Amino acid sequence: MDPLVIFTPSGKRGRFPAGTPVLTAARQLGVDLDSVCGGRGICSKCQITPGSGEFPKHGVTVAAQALSKFNNVEQRYDRVRGLKKGRRLGCQARVQSDVVIDVPPESQVHKQVVRKAAAERDIKMDPATRLFYVEVQEPDMHDPSGDLERLKTALAEQWQIETRSLRADLPVLAKLQPALRKGKWAVTVALHRGHADLHERILDIWPGYLETRLYGLAIDLGSTTIAAHLTDLGNGSVAASAGVMNPQIRFGEDLMSRVSYAMMNPGGDAEMTTAVREALNGLTADIAAEAGIDAAQIVEAVFVCNPVMHHLLLGLDPVELGQAPFALATSDALSLNARQLGLNAMSASARAYVLPCIAGHVGADCAAVALSEEPQKSQDLVLIVDVGTNAEILLGDKTRVLACSSPTGPAFEGAQISAGQRAAPGAIERVEIDPATKEPRFKVIGSDLWSCDPGFAEATAVTGITGICGSGIIEAVAEMRIAGLLDASGRIGSAKDTGTARAVPQGRTHAYILHDGTANGSPRIAVTQGDIRAIQLAKSALYAGARLLMDELGTDHVDRVVLTGAFGANISPKHAMILGMIPDCPLDKVTSAGNAAGTGARIALCSRTARAGIERVVNEIHKVETAIEPRFQEHFIAANAIPHATAPFKELRKVVDLPSPDFSTGAGADSGGRRRRRRG
Ligand code: FES
């Protein structure tokens, strides 16, 4: 009987005649074993580890010499490059007798990449672009044919690739002939086939066997910042990450002011398109330099962005997005030549994929969040909030998913706040207020110490204490509420009302001094009545959006809440709930998913299956338009109170005592129920 070959971890098995190369057996059984050189012993992608001894689970005993001895090719490879102990080249090692063969993760094409996040999930590699080594027939006077035609034949014969409609753009054709001759009729080609493409496309070509890696950029194109992950298309690992400010800020801080700029200035949209494309080219060059790779190795880019950024990236006038009915030029996913987007710092043939938009206000960034967090697979009802100047909200479970966006404005990012600033060293990011003494303590970005800790002044001497960022203002307002410095309507009490000299008059209202900076030259940082109002407007918009989706589903509770976005990831769930930004639910069910949109972009970059999947999911997401929904206004008004005028927030009250002072008459604070344990 022929020897039995069993592959792990797949468990695939079959019998093969003695002398069969392991790679051949793997291919016949459909085992996921990588190869770029087609079994010529050049690429080393096919490494495997043969087992020996008893395998009771598989019912075999493997002899010590179940595979052929190290041959010359393996010996040379081991000498020159080094093979890990116990490893063999699958294309060289031949089956001798029954054997169990392990395919290590790095030798699998469709390897799993484990993502470290709150909800851990694997990415299955299925990149659109891969490398293939081929040996091409030399030209023959008696059998005239073009070099490209013979390359196609070689790809079909050696890799079983359907090449009848294979495409090669002019820049690739220009490289073809020199590469073939320099490589002595052997070349490495990068082939691309998107999930919706009918044909393969040659993206690049190199003489001989090229020991290289291909990369893609996963780009989260935000209105404030542009973040990119340089990702290895072979194994999904992130080689470098970088971010730059979006230069369009000079045309307007927020999205609507950029749309207005395009409306008011002929050619303004083109100016903004040029600005963002230039920034992307700079970012591409920088990130390649940081990773120490040639930018021409970047062959793909995936974009996630809100609808306005989407149009400005594509060179489409965003004017329709500034007015009802907020029509997008297209909401479909786009697969393009990156050069069409002016992306000329990467490979000349690089491809760009833009995720689909969900609606005129709910962009490809929200689709990327859905790709990362998969609400459509959730067993329980999950509310996912991407907190930004325009919050994008998803609510649903495996039966149905809804989406909307809500205009929260820039208050959560520290704008419109008297001492507000972006999250940067020196910004207050954590705040606690003792409910008995009303004294605050805080942490600033760049130091782990609380302001009351010894050494705090020295630790912050360089950065100073410069302002308060989004997460800081949220904690400050929430802490003021539980310390009885703020009533439910959002009014700050006077010194007499609250019993602290930190409550100082400011015009007809009051402010709470968080940091009296005059002593050390840093600015005085106070939370003013205007700040509270700005936060109330932002949080009411967020809550109203979520509540509208809950109405649509006919529910008044959610099982869990996921906060995402660069800012959302830093918000303390307890403080967000005290503020009433999000609906009541058990605090341990409020989690952060980090930058889920960026993660979604990376998943789409690594997997064609994921691209096809999210396009299907987006088609099924039900869009709710907040701008025309009368109940939005009702919910907005009710959500103005802290945490809420009518919703009981029972779960929150199980863990936090909320006092109920009323400062509307200057009558003073109530004294009951306001003792609480300090955090941490
Ligand atoms: Fe390339 Fe084995 S397949 S070395």
Side-chain angles (χ1 to χ4, degrees):
M1 210 185 312
D2 286 336
L4 177 65
V5 182
I6 301 171
F7 286 95
T8 59
S10 65
K12 290 183 173 161
R13 54 169 64 205
R15 290 194 178 273
F16 294 88
T20 306
V22 172
L23 180 64
T24 307
R27 284 185 167 168
Q28 288 184 14
L29 291 174
V31 170
D32 185 13
L33 178 57
D34 201 359
S35 159
V36 167
C37 72
R40 294 179 180 83
I42 308 174
C43 70
S44 84
K45 303 280 186 200
C46 60
Q47 293 184 31
I48 47 101
T49 311
S52 65
E54 297 282 338
F55 287 84
K57 185 175 153 207
H58 299 297
V60 287
T61 303
V62 177
Q65 259 317 318
L67 295 182
S68 57
K69 288 200 177 116
F70 251 50
N71 69 9
N72 292 342
V73 175
E74 288 176 295
Q75 277 169 5
R76 192 187 60 229
Y77 187 86
D78 192 27
R79 204 172 49 244
V80 180
R81 308 287 304 276
L83 261 179
K84 266 192 204 163
K85 198 168 177 328
R87 288 278 175 88
R88 302 289 306 269
L89 294 182
C91 61
Q92 304 300 315
R94 291 167 186 272
V95 175
Q96 307 273 68
S97 57
D98 291 357
V99 64
V100 175
I101 291 169
D102 185 55
V103 180
E106 58 270 32
S107 299
Q108 298 168 15
V109 181
H110 304 289
K111 53 188 78 58
Q112 300 278 335
V113 182
V114 176
R115 182 166 68 96
K116 295 272 180 285
E120 209 160 90
R121 191 156 83 70
D122 297 343
I123 305 173
K124 190 163 190 179
M125 292 302 292
D126 176 24
T129 310
R130 288 183 56 197
L131 288 171
F132 296 89
Y133 170 82
V134 268
E135 291 174 355
V136 180
Q137 192 74 46
E138 290 187 38
D140 183 347
M141 286 279 281
H142 303 292
D143 182 15
S145 61
D147 283 349
L148 179 62
E149 286 63 47
R150 272 175 282 106
L151 171 61
K152 285 184 185 182
T153 306
L155 280 166
E157 285 174 2
Q158 293 163 38
W159 290 101
Q160 293 72 51
I161 289 170
E162 163 53 58
T163 54
R164 258 174 306 182
S165 52
L166 178 139
R167 304 276 170 90
D169 291 339
L170 275 178
V172 172
L173 272 185
K175 284 179 157 186
L176 172 66
Q177 295 203 306
L180 279 169
R181 281 147 187 89
K182 190 170 174 202
K184 300 196 171 38
W185 304 99
V187 284
T188 304
V189 291
L191 287 191
H192 173 92
R193 184 168 187 171
H195 63 289
D197 290 345
L198 298 174
H199 52 76
E200 301 272 352
R201 182 188 299 268
I202 304 180
L203 292 193
D204 213 338
I205 184 161
W206 300 268
Y209 173 71
L210 181 75
E211 179 65 50
T212 191
R213 307 199 72 85
L214 297 178
Y215 293 87
L217 281 179
I219 299 173
D220 182 3
L221 177 52
S223 29
T224 309
T225 52
I226 308 173
H229 296 300
L230 181 71
T231 307
D232 185 321
L233 292 179
N235 59 24
S237 64
V238 175
S241 297
V244 289
M245 295 299 283
N246 187 332
Q248 292 176 339
I249 285 177
R250 67 174 184 268
F251 302 101
E253 271 272 342
D254 58 39
L255 294 174
M256 278 310 130
S257 48
R258 282 180 220 170
V259 174
S260 306
Y261 184 83
M263 284 174 169
M264 314 289 286
N265 300 280
D269 57 320
E271 268 182 90
M272 289 187 277
T273 295
T274 304
V276 76
R277 290 177 175 180
E278 279 173 2
L280 287 165
N281 285 332
L283 182 60
T284 304
D286 289 350
I287 203 168
E290 189 190 325
I293 66 154
D294 179 355
Q297 287 171 262
I298 302 174
V299 292
E300 288 202 61
V302 164
F303 287 92
V304 302
C305 41
N306 61 55
V308 174
M309 296 314 308
H310 174 270
H311 276 41
L312 289 173
L313 168 70
L314 295 170
L316 305 171
D317 191 336
V319 63
E320 293 301 328
L321 300 173
Q323 56 204 16
F326 312 107
L328 288 151
T330 176
S331 57
D332 285 349
L334 294 166
S335 186
L336 308 154
N337 186 330
R339 290 275 148 140
Q340 285 176 274
L341 299 180
L343 303 178
N344 39 35
M346 52 186 74
S347 161
S349 318
R351 303 292 299 170
Y353 176 75
V354 186
L355 267 81
C357 286
I358 297 177
H361 273 322
V362 192
D365 46 359
C366 192
V369 169
L371 176 54
S372 168
E373 299 310 306
E374 300 187 311
Q376 77 282 2
K377 291 186 182 168
S378 179
Q379 298 291 338
D380 52 6
L381 186 61
V382 59
L383 176 76
I384 304 168
V385 185
D386 194 347
V387 189
T389 49
N390 208 41
E392 294 184 330
I393 307 170
L394 291 159
L395 174 71
D397 58 18
K398 60 185 173 36
T399 59
R400 196 170 177 221
V401 178
L402 312 179
C404 74
S405 76
S406 201
T408 43
F412 289 147
E413 293 181 352
Q416 296 174 347
I417 302 297
S418 58
Q421 68 160 91
R422 291 198 197 288
I428 293 176
E429 60 165 348
R430 291 272 171 270
V431 177
E432 283 188 354
I433 300 174
D434 187 310
T437 64
K438 322 289 185 203
E439 281 301 296
R441 62 176 189 161
F442 55 83
K443 285 185 179 182
V444 300
I445 298 176
S447 168
D448 278 338
L449 298 175
W450 284 102
S451 54
C452 56
D453 290 338
F456 176 79
E458 294 75 25
T460 55
V462 175
T463 59
I465 301 160
T466 48
I468 186 161
C469 69
S471 63
I473 190 73
I474 285 175
E475 294 200 4
V477 177
E479 289 280 316
M480 285 170 70
R481 177 73 179 86
I482 33 188
L485 296 161
L486 192 67
D487 68 15
S489 75
R491 199 174 285 105
I492 302 175
S494 65
K496 186 161 154 273
D497 290 334
T498 59
T500 173
R502 286 183 176 272
V504 296
Q506 195 176 55
R508 295 160 62 91
T509 61
H510 294 92
Y512 174 75
I513 308 293
L514 201 53
H515 172 59
D516 195 347
T518 47
N520 59 6
S522 58
R524 187 171 95 156
I525 295 168
V527 179
T528 67
Q529 192 62 63
D531 297 342
I532 304 281
R533 295 295 177 226
I535 289 294
Q536 280 178 293
L537 290 179
K539 76 98 179 177
S540 303
L542 192 56
Y543 183 90
R547 198 67 194 77
L548 200 59
L549 295 188
M550 289 160 71
D551 283 358
E552 198 73 24
L553 274 191
T555 181
D556 59 5
H557 87 283
V558 298
D559 295 320
R560 60 190 176 97
V561 177
V562 179
L563 298 168
T564 81
F567 170 59
N570 289 316
I571 303 175
S572 138
K574 183 177 87 174
H575 293 95
M577 200 169 285
I578 291 166
L579 217 55
M581 280 172 69
I582 49 175
D584 191 31
C585 93
L587 269 182
D588 61 353
K589 294 283 186 181
V590 184
T591 55
S592 161
N595 180 8
T599 304
R602 200 153 70 77
I603 295 172
L605 185 60
C606 293
S607 169
R608 294 179 294 186
T609 316
R611 294 182 196 182
I614 194 58
E615 289 176 19
R616 273 196 310 276
V617 168
V618 163
N619 267 333
E620 283 160 16
I621 290 179
H622 177 74
K623 300 100 193 165
V624 176
E625 182 50 75
T626 49
I628 53 163
E629 182 53 69
R631 278 171 306 163
F632 182 81
Q633 206 54 31
E634 285 168 34
H635 287 314
F636 181 83
I637 291 165
N640 209 352
I642 301 173
H644 194 274
T646 51
F649 275 76
K650 281 189 194 145
E651 294 292 339
L652 174 67
R653 287 176 199 273
K654 283 181 193 167
V655 286
V656 177
D657 288 337
L658 285 177
S660 43
D662 177 358
F663 301 134
S664 59
T665 59
D670 96 333
S671 52
R674 101 173 70 113
R675 292 284 183 275
R676 72 186 170 95
R677 258 174 282 127
R678 287 193 75 92
R679 186 176 61 184

